[in-house]
Amino acid sequence: MNQATVLIPAYNEETTVAEVVRVARQAGYPVVVADDGSKDRTSEVAREAGAKVVRLELNRGKGAALAAGLAAVQTPFVLLLDADLVGLKPEHLHRLLEPVVSGKLDMTIGVFSSGGFLTDFGNRATPYLSGQRACRIEWLRGVPHLALERWPEPLITDHLRKTNTRWAYIPLPGASQVMKEKKRGFWKGFRYRLGMYRDILRYWLGGRRRAG
């Protein structure tokens, strides 16, 4: 029986999701793609590549997609991957999962290395925003309000610190992401990126107010 399932939240990623699914399947893991209300063929392409697809009818954000996908996972461990990865290899998945399955760590967070200047720089500058992670599924299901966060990585990282969870960054040599400006066009992608950082900043500021 497989110990881990790959969970891929996706929104309008028909051009890249199939390759991510293919690599995960090649590595030997079942795959669940949580389609966050895509308007393109993300669901069909992912299903054709061998993934089980859970589809949200409306775009509700990455946290809601993760929560919906987690409901379909039946293994004790889960590997989270973004749907727009390039240069991904099976050994990257094994590298993320091994320390968690062996009990050395409770979570690993993947950081790009030598995959491309811009994606490497962004990932290294804000590694806590990385969507490439491995952990026990029950721990992730226990993250409070996961489904409410459009960008859940800060919430997950915050929960790591609050629960004294053992975790570490794991380099993923050669892997990177398609830049949002390239996927959506420069200005549309740039606005999308600004919106993401705005929402993340709002989360951190709200957290500080709650802590105070």
Side-chain angles (χ1 to χ4, degrees), residues 2 5 18 23 35-36 40 49 57 69 77 91 96 105 107 111 115 117 131-132 144 153 200 207 210:
N2 287 295
T5 297
V23 173
D35 184 347
D36 186 21
D40 63 3
E57 291 304 316
F77 300 95
E91 51 262 37
L96 282 170
L105 296 171
M107 175 176 279
V111 180
F117 174 75
Q132 306 6 286
E153 285 82 7
I200 290 169
R210 289 191 295 273

Side-chain angles (χ1 to χ4, degrees), residues 115-160:
F117 174 75
L118 290 177
T119 53
D120 279 9
F121 176 79
N123 204 218
R124 288 170 181 265
T126 56
Y128 57 87
L129 300 183
S130 173
Q132 306 6 286
R133 303 186 183 223
C135 66
R136 283 191 172 274
I137 192 168
E138 291 306 323
W139 185 92
L140 191 57
R141 284 174 174 161
V143 175
H145 313 301
L146 179 66
L148 302 180
E149 293 294 333
R150 178 160 287 274
W151 305 107
E153 285 82 7
L155 173 68
I156 294 171
T157 302
D158 201 25
H159 194 59
L160 285 175

Side-chain angles (χ1 to χ4, degrees), residues 11-33:
Y11 176 62
N12 291 344
E13 300 289 2
E14 66 178 3
T15 60
T16 55
V17 68
E19 178 62 13
V20 181
V21 172
R22 186 193 67 77
V23 173
R25 296 282 293 167
Q26 183 182 350
Y29 304 110
V31 182
V32 174
V33 169

Side-chain angles (χ1 to χ4, degrees), residues 43-147:
S43 286
E44 293 90 333
V45 168
R47 194 175 291 112
E48 290 168 2
K52 177 178 181 179
V53 174
V54 176
R55 177 171 167 78
L56 303 178
E57 291 304 316
L58 299 175
N59 176 245
R60 294 170 50 197
K62 193 173 183 179
L66 282 179
L70 284 173
V73 174
Q74 299 179 352
T75 53
F77 300 95
V78 63
L79 275 158
L80 305 181
L81 297 177
D82 288 332
D84 58 355
L85 298 178
V86 293
L88 185 68
K89 297 179 180 179
E91 51 262 37
H92 292 143
L93 280 65
H94 301 323
R95 180 178 291 195
L96 282 170
L97 187 61
E98 190 279 329
V100 178
V101 172
S102 67
K104 297 175 185 175
L105 296 171
D106 300 307
M107 175 176 279
T108 56
I109 302 176
V111 180
F112 300 144
S113 173
S114 304
F117 174 75
L118 290 177
T119 53
D120 279 9
F121 176 79
N123 204 218
R124 288 170 181 265
T126 56
Y128 57 87
L129 300 183
S130 173
Q132 306 6 286
R133 303 186 183 223
C135 66
R136 283 191 172 274
I137 192 168
E138 291 306 323
W139 185 92
L140 191 57
R141 284 174 174 161
V143 175
H145 313 301
L146 179 66

